[in-house]
Amino acid sequence: MDLPGRSTEDVVRALDAILQTWQQINQRSIATGTTLLNLQSQATTAQQQQQQQQIRQPSLSLLLSQIHSEMEQSIRSIRQDLREYSKVISQLDTLARDGLSCVCAADSLMEMAGLTNGYVRELVKERREVYVKEYRRRLQLVGEMREGWVEMWVVDQIEYQVEEEYLDRLRCLRLARQWVANKAALDDLQKQKSVV
């Protein structure tokens, strides 16, 4: 039996928010990784300059200290992003466990837009598998921090055609809903004019 208050549209909205949240975290985190790469390069250059000089210059030491501080901040941000990635996966777990077990039939417009129960269920399952794989890869990179880990961090191994297709279907649904609402408003207006 379907639980009250839960519809396919509720699940569609929740999934839309989850997918967008993942991509926002991802964009931010990759940008942080790019910043960290630049800082590593700056630190290497400063260290080389320091080694070439027999007497240490306070300015170079201060610069290195600042760079290392910014690098540590970037790594803290990346660790925070890992926690955010984990939350998104938990939300997908909750949606798969609680949401999809009590989905009502989609309305005709949702069916026309391709947002069927079967499609949504499969999308939640498939994206969860993909996101978990990417999360584990990133978790291992940060956990081990081997040489070159930042270069691998800034490479996103997820292809987002699935998300793009989902957003296209949502756009089609919204356009259809808007058209129906406009038509209903126009019909009401014509009825009012005919009464007058």
Side-chain angles (χ1 to χ4, degrees):
M1 187 176 83
D2 293 334
L3 296 182
R6 175 67 70 174
S7 68
T8 303
E9 187 156 358
D10 292 332
V11 175
V12 164
R13 279 204 208 97
L15 181 56
D16 182 28
I18 289 170
L19 298 182
Q20 289 195 45
T21 299
W22 177 277
Q23 292 195 55
Q24 288 165 2
I25 297 166
N26 215 40
Q27 289 168 1
R28 181 182 69 227
S29 193
I30 288 174
T32 302
T34 302
T35 299
L36 184 54
L37 274 178
N38 292 334
L39 289 169
Q40 286 179 338
S41 177
Q42 292 173 32
T44 300
T45 301
Q47 286 167 348
Q48 288 171 347
Q49 290 175 350
Q50 198 174 57
Q51 289 167 1
Q52 289 167 0
Q53 297 170 355
Q54 293 182 347
I55 302 173
R56 284 194 170 187
Q57 291 189 5
S59 59
L60 272 178
S61 297
L62 178 61
L63 176 61
L64 270 171
S65 176
Q66 290 173 340
I67 290 172
H68 285 138
S69 177
E70 290 178 29
M71 287 170 64
E72 288 170 6
Q73 177 58 47
S74 294
I75 291 171
R76 282 195 295 272
S77 296
I78 282 173
R79 290 186 187 280
Q80 177 60 37
D81 289 335
L82 277 172
R83 289 189 283 273
E84 296 298 322
Y85 281 128
S86 179
K87 287 178 184 176
V88 171
I89 292 168
S90 295
Q91 289 171 350
L92 278 173
D93 286 340
T94 300
L95 192 62
R97 184 181 64 248
D98 301 333
L100 298 184
S101 64
C102 54
V103 175
C104 305
D107 65 28
S108 59
L109 290 179
M110 295 184 76
E111 296 278 354
M112 287 171 60
L115 292 166
T116 62
N117 287 338
Y119 169 77
V120 174
R121 288 174 193 272
E122 189 58 34
L123 183 59
V124 171
K125 178 183 175 184
E126 190 270 342
R127 285 294 92 179
R128 185 197 174 279
E129 290 174 359
V130 169
Y131 288 0
V132 166
K133 183 179 178 181
E134 178 69 354
Y135 167 70
R136 286 177 178 162
R137 180 185 78 90
R138 291 183 177 277
L139 189 63
Q140 184 176 1
L141 288 175
V142 174
E144 296 176 354
M145 285 195 177
R146 294 180 178 176
E147 185 177 350
W149 75 271
V150 185
E151 285 87 347
M152 289 186 279
W153 181 271
V154 298
V155 176
D156 188 359
Q157 294 194 347
I158 295 179
E159 295 182 357
Y160 291 100
Q161 289 94 333
V162 172
E163 282 83 353
E164 290 169 9
E165 180 189 341
Y166 184 67
L167 291 175
D168 283 342
R169 294 188 186 203
L170 282 180
R171 279 190 284 270
C172 288
L173 175 63
R174 290 180 184 125
L175 286 172
R177 289 254 164 88
Q178 187 62 51
W179 184 84
V180 169
N182 290 345
K183 187 176 184 304
L186 184 61
D187 289 345
D188 286 343
L189 184 61
Q190 289 174 341
K191 285 178 183 177
Q192 290 172 11
K193 284 183 179 178
S194 64
V195 171
V196 173

